[in-house]
Amino acid sequence: MRALRVLLIIAVVLGGVFVAVDRAAVYFAESEAEGRVSFAGAEAGSTEVSIKGFPFLTQVAGSELDRVDVTVKDVRAGAAGREIRIGEIRAQLSQVTLGAGYTSATASRATGTAVISYAALTEAADDGVTVAYGGDGKVKVTGSVQIPLVGQTVTRSVLSTVTLVDGDTVKVHADEVPGEGIPGLEGLVRKKTDFERRIAGLPEGLKMEKIEVAPGGLEISMTGADIRLAG
């Protein structure tokens, strides 16, 4: 019995040592990856990496990680000749195969969310137009137009619906525009407040599925396969 107790104590100690070493290896790998890993096809300001699953060391030995969560911030992408800054992309990568020398990786599947702030959307809109959260899944778009002949400038705010068109274009369309009996006013306002912007520069392999209007910005759901990570 005494020998059995000793063996159990040794097993517990060794198990604890293995867990500690395994977690230390994860922490080291995450720290190293955050400074080196990037999505192919995208430029970003910073990267956060969280490696899931246990044990980590056996996953590395098999050159495949069960799941890796990656958050990239300040992603720069182009929209209609203007730069639109995606504040954050949060991606969950599954079955991540490690390349030779751990200098690259490929995720079999991925889901994620890209967040575009209203400040960034304003920068991508026409000059003099501002975009803000309007509540109830709408955005509030404000712009000023000059009425021909009269020479008067009017400023109007409209509640608009945001939709995803052709899988890569953000469309902002006013639900209605108060015309106040002025001929042609609605058309002039819509030229300012209604717009479409194609988003380019997203990580290769990720495609946009749908857009939701949230208080913190536009939240774009994305899915993908064979996502390449460099670094």
Side-chain angles (χ1 to χ4, degrees), residues 10-123:
I10 292 174
V12 170
V13 171
L14 290 177
V17 170
F18 176 77
V19 170
V21 171
D22 190 80
R23 294 301 89 190
V26 169
Y27 177 79
F28 175 78
E30 290 174 343
S31 298
E32 285 291 303
E34 286 177 353
R36 298 168 54 188
V37 168
S38 62
F39 282 107
E43 297 182 16
S46 63
T47 304
E48 297 175 3
V49 177
S50 178
I51 300 173
K52 307 298 182 181
F54 178 82
F56 167 70
L57 292 174
T58 57
Q59 295 182 67
V60 172
S63 296
E64 183 174 292
L65 305 178
D66 295 336
R67 174 179 158 183
V68 178
D69 291 353
V70 178
T71 299
V72 291
K73 298 184 178 181
D74 295 327
V75 181
R76 291 172 290 280
R82 297 170 181 252
E83 183 179 76
I84 182 169
R85 191 174 299 276
I86 300 173
E88 184 177 84
I89 294 180
R90 301 184 295 268
Q92 295 79 49
L93 311 177
S94 302
Q95 294 180 309
V96 181
T97 302
L98 304 175
Y102 309 118
T103 58
S104 64
T106 302
S108 176
R109 302 185 310 277
T111 59
T113 302
V115 179
I116 299 176
S117 69
Y118 295 117
L121 194 59
T122 295
E123 291 178 4

Side-chain angles (χ1 to χ4, degrees), residues 61-193:
S63 296
E64 183 174 292
L65 305 178
D66 295 336
R67 174 179 158 183
V68 178
D69 291 353
V70 178
T71 299
V72 291
K73 298 184 178 181
D74 295 327
V75 181
R76 291 172 290 280
R82 297 170 181 252
E83 183 179 76
I84 182 169
R85 191 174 299 276
I86 300 173
E88 184 177 84
I89 294 180
R90 301 184 295 268
Q92 295 79 49
L93 311 177
S94 302
Q95 294 180 309
V96 181
T97 302
L98 304 175
Y102 309 118
T103 58
S104 64
T106 302
S108 176
R109 302 185 310 277
T111 59
T113 302
V115 179
I116 299 176
S117 69
Y118 295 117
L121 194 59
T122 295
E123 291 178 4
D126 289 342
D127 292 338
V129 173
T130 60
V131 185
Y133 180 60
D136 296 326
K138 306 289 183 180
V139 297
K140 183 174 74 172
V141 185
T142 303
S144 298
V145 297
Q146 187 174 41
I147 304 175
L149 301 179
V150 178
Q152 180 182 359
T153 298
V154 297
T155 300
R156 291 292 180 271
S157 294
V158 296
L159 289 178
S160 301
T161 298
V162 181
T163 54
L164 182 64
V165 180
D166 297 329
D168 64 357
T169 300
V170 174
K171 179 179 180 179
V172 179
H173 183 77
D175 294 348
E176 61 178 308
V177 177
E180 300 177 352
I182 303 175
L185 179 59
E186 179 177 350
L188 291 172
V189 172
R190 284 193 180 277
K191 284 183 178 180
K192 275 284 190 179
T193 60

